[in-house]
Amino acid sequence: MTVSRSLVFPLCLVAGPLLVIVAGTLHPDLAGDGAAQLTTIAQCRAWSAIHWTFLFSFPLALTGLVGVARIHAGSSGENAVRAGLITATFAYTAWMVIVAFMAGSGWALAQVFTQADPGMTATRAVFVYDMIHPFALATQRVAGFALGLSTCLFGWGVVDGKALPHWVGTSGMGAGAVAMAFALGFPENTKADQAAFVLPVLWQMVTGAVLLARANAHDAPRPTVGGVRAA
């Protein structure tokens, strides 16, 4: 069974955000000091799978967003959507930093901390984690802001370009504005800052579903009249 080329971008835009939602739901809550967080990481058997799910979802989401830009080429919303795609690329690159750190170094430090004899080795593992983790959280905060800005730009382009329903554009601008407000208003080590990703990711998945329905309608066999296919 072959997949129509017109379905590739919508499927990616549904699959990418869906994987983010699954990974985010399964991700354990990291609370307390560095030692407590490393203990939680070491006890999570699905830690690596969760973070690889995040990492693989990012290129899928970006590929799907290319589909949104593609249908707005030549329209009055082209520039806004193009800017949104560039900003989304930056956002996912910044988001990748913290996810890759937690998948690699975070997991390795957690194993050292929990398996080493109490003493300098375990202490050093906590020290390294406490020194690097704030940097990773800073990239997460800027990623949340950038993803919100990207969503606003996509929404603006959709409203101007009129290639998708108007509500897709207005909801994108609203979701992006809320995301930027969360990223600006709350420190990077809070749940509210993490919430900045929620609405843009949901908007992407909904937009992917709209694109998928649009592609299916476009590819559906057209009725024939007197043996001639209708236009």
Side-chain angles (χ1 to χ4, degrees):
M1 179 179 179
T2 59
V3 179
S4 171
R5 291 182 180 179
S6 62
L7 297 179
V8 172
F9 295 115
L11 287 174
C12 286
L13 195 53
V14 171
L18 182 60
L19 289 176
V20 171
I21 293 170
V22 171
T25 302
L26 296 176
H27 195 288
D29 183 24
L30 296 180
D33 59 12
Q37 292 186 27
L38 289 177
T39 301
T40 301
I41 293 171
Q43 293 173 345
C44 180
R45 296 183 177 181
W47 184 261
S48 294
I50 289 170
H51 288 78
W52 279 111
T53 299
F54 271 123
L55 291 172
F56 287 137
S57 73
F58 296 165
L60 287 174
L62 278 174
T63 301
L65 289 174
V66 170
V68 181
R70 179 171 172 261
I71 65 173
H72 286 86
S75 73
S76 57
E78 178 181 9
N79 289 336
V81 171
R82 184 184 300 170
L85 184 60
I86 294 171
T87 309
T89 303
F90 170 81
Y92 278 111
T93 301
W95 196 359
M96 181 189 69
V97 172
I98 185 169
V99 176
F101 166 74
M102 298 302 283
S105 299
W107 176 254
L109 290 170
Q111 299 307 304
V112 170
F113 175 73
T114 56
Q115 296 176 11
D117 294 332
M120 288 304 298
T121 301
T123 302
R124 287 169 181 165
V126 176
F127 174 79
V128 172
Y129 180 80
D130 285 341
M131 291 300 101
I132 301 179
H133 192 225
F135 159 75
L137 287 175
T139 64
Q140 174 182 274
R141 186 175 183 181
V142 74
F145 178 84
L147 194 62
L149 177 59
S150 169
T151 307
C152 274
L153 290 168
F154 271 109
W156 177 16
V158 169
V159 169
D160 285 352
K162 299 180 176 63
L164 293 174
H166 187 267
W167 64 266
V168 174
T170 55
S171 63
M173 289 190 288
V178 171
M180 287 190 291
F182 274 120
L184 286 171
F186 296 94
E188 58 274 12
N189 58 349
T190 62
K191 291 297 179 186
D193 179 72
Q194 296 175 13
F197 295 93
V198 174
L199 290 179
V201 168
L202 288 174
W203 180 84
Q204 289 180 10
M205 188 169 67
V206 171
T207 302
V210 172
L211 285 175
L212 192 60
R214 182 178 184 271
N216 284 329
H218 183 270
D219 292 342
R222 296 175 184 174
T224 58
V225 179
V228 179
R229 179 171 293 181

